[in-house]
Amino acid sequence: MTMTVPGMASPVEMRLVGGIVYMSMGELTGGKFMAVDPNDPAVGVPMPSDLDPARSAKDLQGAIVSVTKVGAPEQVGGALSQAYDVVVDLSKVTGTTRQSLDEAQTQAAAAGATLPSTLTYRYWVDAKGLVHRVANEMLGTSTQMTFEGWGEPVEIQAPTADQITNLDTQQARGTARGS
């Protein structure tokens, strides 16, 4: 998965291989990957043990308040897709998405904010029922995921040892540069 993050010069790349999450965050990680075991309690930040959009959608299923068709179909993720606004009652979300929301609420509370009671997701769905994009905005942060290449073979490899960095080493370098 590749994510564009506002304020970062290069995209964030995440790979999930063998239960380990590899993250490259451009300059923050020296152009290399951090290897994070999501089951390690020392991580301190909940990491996904899988990145299954279908599971996330199932977590929202019982919380859907409304679905509204938006605009005309458009090309998204390589397919003609129709946008739908899906309003979700956040108190009824389940599963790993519930856990993520609880963590977000804790972080929001620490910053003096609260999560809204509902959240609107925009889904772009093709004629086969495949999701090609999901977007939402919460607490001033926009998230957009685009999915393409449905049904195509994919090979995901862990970074090689020389492509992996130790975050503590990167933080020490950043501290040394800043002093």
Side-chain angles (χ1 to χ4, degrees):
M1 174 171 58
T2 304
M3 299 177 283
T4 303
V5 178
M8 290 187 69
S10 56
V12 173
E13 182 180 346
M14 289 180 67
R15 300 178 191 177
L16 178 62
V17 181
I20 302 296
V21 177
Y22 298 94
M23 289 182 27
S24 175
M25 297 185 291
E27 289 183 23
L28 291 175
T29 56
K32 295 188 175 194
F33 288 84
M34 297 182 306
V36 180
D37 180 348
N39 297 313
D40 182 354
V43 171
V45 176
M47 296 294 295
S49 58
D50 66 27
L51 300 172
D52 183 354
R55 179 175 297 156
S56 296
K58 288 177 186 170
D59 292 348
L60 302 179
Q61 206 165 26
I64 295 172
V65 174
S66 66
V67 177
T68 307
K69 185 177 179 178
V70 179
E74 57 186 290
Q75 285 293 324
V76 177
L80 189 61
S81 302
Q82 176 63 54
Y84 295 90
D85 279 350
V86 179
V87 178
V88 174
D89 178 341
L90 295 184
S91 70
K92 296 179 180 178
V93 173
T94 62
T96 56
T97 305
R98 166 85 272 138
Q99 294 168 353
S100 296
L101 284 171
D102 290 345
E103 178 63 28
Q105 178 57 52
T106 300
Q107 292 173 358
T114 58
L115 296 182
S117 60
T118 62
L119 181 61
T120 301
Y121 289 87
R122 182 161 290 175
Y123 284 86
W124 284 261
V125 182
D126 71 11
K128 296 178 185 175
L130 297 173
V131 174
H132 287 274
R133 181 173 292 150
V134 179
N136 69 54
E137 184 173 325
M138 182 167 47
L139 299 176
T141 300
S142 298
T143 303
Q144 179 174 289
M145 296 180 287
T146 302
F147 306 94
E148 53 189 40
W150 286 100
E152 294 177 11
V154 63
E155 184 177 327
I156 302 170
Q157 296 181 352
T160 59
D162 65 328
Q163 295 174 313
I164 297 174
T165 186
N166 178 322
L167 183 59
D168 295 333
T169 303
Q170 288 299 318
Q171 289 174 338
R173 286 183 191 152
T175 303
R177 277 188 225 135
S179 51

